[in-house]
Amino acid sequence: MNHSHEYSIRPIAYIHTDLPTKFGLPRQSGLVPQLRSTIVMEPLYRDPVAFRGIEGFSHLWLIWGFSENKRDSWAATVKPPRLGGNKRMGVFATRSPYRPNALGLSSVKLESIDFDEKLGPVLTVSGADLMDGTPIYDIKPYLPHTDCHPDALGGFADQFVDYALEVVFPEEWLAMIPEDKREALSGILAQDPRPSYIDDPERVYGFNYLDMDVRFRVRDGVLTVCEIEKLR
C-alpha cells in the first residue's frame, strides 16, 4: 500500500491577540485565562449555518499552524524550555513547534460568538497561547466526557504545574496599561516569558503587548516591571 500521499490544508480563520510576537506567549493554552482573543473567519467560511450549535459548548479545540516556524526540517529530539533548554526529549513527547508538521493544538474557552455584518461569525475566546495573526486550520468542540482525563499523567511537565513568579508592577507603569488588559498581562508575566536557560538577574527582558514594549527583570523568583514604552 502506498502511503506517500501529500495533503494540503488552508486556513479557515486567523486569530487576533494582544501579543504580536512569539516572545511573551503563554507556554500552553489555559495558563492565562484572562487573555482574550478573537477569531475571524476567512470569507469562504463565514456562513452562520456552519456555527449552528456551537454556543452550547463552553470550550473549543483550535488546530493551528506555527506560522513563525521557518525551519524546513525536523529533529527527533528537542530541548523543552521548562527543562532549562539543556536536556533533550523526544519531539513526540513535547509540544515543540519544530515538528514533522508544524501544527499546534490549543484548548480555549468560548466566551461569545457575535455576528458581524461584514466579517460574519466572530468568536471571542480566552486562554489562547497564540500570537496575533496565527492561522487557524480547524475548530472543534471540546467534549468533557471524552476529552477530560482526571487521572492522566503529565510526564516531565507535571513538575511545573504550579510554577509562577511573583510579579511586582509599579503603579507608574501599570497606569499605562488599559484597565481591562492589566490582569492578562500580569498573568503572562507570572508564567515567566524568559528563555529557561538564561537566569541573569541584571538582564532586562522585553516583549510587545498591545502597542507597548514591556521590560522586566527577574531576581529570586520575583519579576519586576522596570519600564514600559509606547511603540506608536
Side-chain angles (χ1 to χ4, degrees):
M1 183 179 294
N2 184 0
H3 294 288
S4 62
H5 300 292
E6 291 190 1
Y7 299 91
S8 62
I9 56 176
R10 69 175 70 179
I12 64 167
Y14 289 87
I15 195 167
H16 299 285
T17 78
D18 294 329
L19 293 161
T21 62
K22 292 188 296 183
F23 194 90
L25 286 174
R27 298 182 191 275
Q28 304 292 340
S29 60
L31 289 177
V32 186
Q34 305 90 346
L35 192 59
R36 294 204 172 195
S37 312
T38 56
I39 298 173
V40 177
M41 307 304 296
E42 287 290 90
L44 184 61
Y45 308 103
R46 291 178 181 173
D47 187 345
V49 174
F51 296 85
R52 183 183 296 159
I54 198 172
E55 70 281 353
F57 297 94
S58 65
H59 291 72
L60 303 172
W61 288 111
L62 304 180
I63 300 173
W64 49 276
F66 289 99
S67 53
E68 292 299 298
N69 182 357
K70 304 303 182 184
R71 297 184 185 179
D72 294 325
S73 59
W74 72 285
T77 61
V78 295
K79 298 178 180 179
R82 280 294 188 225
L83 294 180
N86 52 22
K87 183 176 182 180
R88 288 194 171 274
M89 304 297 287
V91 66
F92 299 123
T94 75
R95 298 188 176 185
S96 168
Y98 304 113
R99 326 184 62 77
N101 294 299
L103 295 176
L105 178 68
S106 296
S107 174
V108 297
K109 183 179 180 182
L110 177 61
E111 298 290 347
S112 66
I113 178 168
D114 302 292
F115 294 90
D116 183 270
E117 184 175 339
K118 181 180 179 181
L119 300 176
V122 176
L123 306 180
T124 298
V125 301
S126 59
D129 54 341
L130 286 70
M131 64 181 286
D132 186 52
T134 295
I136 306 297
Y137 292 115
D138 205 358
I139 299 170
K140 299 178 184 289
Y142 175 97
L143 303 178
H145 64 285
T146 59
D147 294 346
C148 180
H149 303 280
D151 57 345
L153 300 178
F156 62 84
D158 274 348
Q159 61 186 297
F160 306 107
V161 168
D162 297 320
Y163 179 85
L165 298 175
E166 177 185 348
V167 176
V168 175
F169 211 137
E171 182 59 35
E172 63 176 310
W173 305 123
L174 185 63
M176 296 180 64
I177 306 298
E179 191 169 349
D180 64 334
K181 301 291 186 178
R182 294 175 185 176
E183 192 175 4
L185 177 56
S186 295
I188 292 168
L189 293 169
Q191 289 299 315
D192 195 353
R194 300 174 301 163
S196 296
Y197 53 87
I198 299 177
D199 187 18
D200 181 354
E202 300 304 319
R203 180 167 177 170
V204 176
Y205 303 85
F207 65 94
N208 295 347
Y209 181 70
L210 298 170
D211 58 349
M212 304 177 194
D213 183 26
V214 180
R215 298 169 190 165
F216 62 91
R217 291 189 178 94
V218 179
R219 181 191 294 272
D220 298 329
V222 178
L223 182 151
T224 303
V225 176
C226 55
E227 187 177 6
I228 293 180
E229 181 182 357
K230 282 270 191 180
L231 297 176
R232 59 180 184 274

